[in-house]
Amino acid sequence: MTLFLLSPDFAFGQKSDVYDELSSSFNYGKKSLEYTEASLGYIKKSHLQSSVEDVQLYARRAKNEIDYAKTQTGYAESDASDAEDEASDIGFDNTEDEADNAEGNFYSAKGKFDEAYTYLRRVEHADNKEDADYNLRRAKSSIEDGLRYLSYALEDLNDAVDELNNNN
């Protein structure tokens, strides 16, 4: 997935404060995306293992990556909220709405990543490969759901910048 935040055509002032928050949120979201993709890679490697111990090794790595993703998503959510507040302060309602949408989608993504983290922890404590595989599948599903929300949030941020640019 390739998304980018288009730079606005203004240099300073309150409008630029909104853009700075949107840009920061977007950067955290992109970082979360990288960690999420790494987590999915470890889950894929985990599925290829034959012993429970090896499955658990890769699941632990996947768990660490999704924890990083969850943290970055939380930062993105916070900055989207700040952008929403800044947009509200200057009366840019459409920008405020898009930032609010991004905040909500980041929140949902973070929840799904937290769910995945829990499933991956269960893999670490699984007694057999069947239990481990079951929890790996659940973790993967939660991560994929979280990725959808993350994608929506990044699109919302792009829309917020478009709306910001439309306010003259």
Side-chain angles (χ1 to χ4, degrees):
M1 166 187 320
T2 304
L3 293 172
F4 56 94
L5 203 60
L6 299 174
S7 182
D9 57 358
F10 51 85
F12 58 88
Q14 292 177 321
K15 200 171 176 181
S16 68
D17 293 340
V18 177
Y19 175 77
D20 290 345
E21 294 294 345
L22 292 171
S23 180
S24 179
S25 178
F26 190 85
N27 289 332
Y28 284 124
K30 283 192 333 186
K31 194 67 174 168
S32 177
L33 184 61
E34 292 170 17
Y35 286 124
T36 303
E37 290 171 350
S39 183
L40 286 172
Y42 284 124
I43 288 173
K44 184 177 181 179
K45 288 179 182 179
S46 191
H47 277 299
L48 299 173
Q49 305 308 308
S50 56
S51 75
V52 174
E53 294 79 17
D54 290 340
V55 168
Q56 291 169 330
L57 172 71
Y58 285 105
R60 190 173 305 110
R61 291 177 182 168
K63 182 189 74 165
N64 290 339
E65 294 295 321
I66 207 60
D67 192 38
Y68 297 145
K70 184 175 67 169
T71 299
Q72 295 300 308
T73 303
Y75 295 152
E77 176 191 1
S78 178
D79 285 350
S81 176
D82 291 346
E84 177 188 0
D85 292 343
E86 294 277 349
S88 175
D89 289 347
I90 58 177
F92 288 6
D93 295 339
N94 293 338
T95 303
E96 178 185 359
D97 290 345
E98 292 295 344
D100 181 51
N101 291 342
E103 179 187 6
N105 281 314
F106 282 130
Y107 178 82
S108 296
K110 190 174 65 175
K112 289 297 180 178
F113 297 155
D114 191 45
E115 222 174 73
Y117 181 90
T118 299
Y119 287 123
L120 290 166
R121 271 194 26 226
R122 290 178 186 166
V123 173
E124 286 184 300
H125 302 289
D127 293 331
N128 58 60
K129 190 158 178 342
E130 292 77 27
D131 285 346
D133 286 342
Y134 171 80
N135 283 298
L136 280 172
R137 285 191 303 275
R138 298 293 303 263
K140 182 177 184 273
S141 178
S142 294
I143 291 171
E144 289 169 345
D145 290 345
L147 270 173
R148 275 191 290 284
Y149 286 116
L150 188 58
S151 174
Y152 298 152
L154 295 173
E155 289 173 19
D156 292 334
L157 292 174
N158 274 322
D159 292 345
V161 170
D162 288 346
E163 292 297 336
L164 187 62
N165 284 331
N166 291 332
N167 285 292
N168 294 321

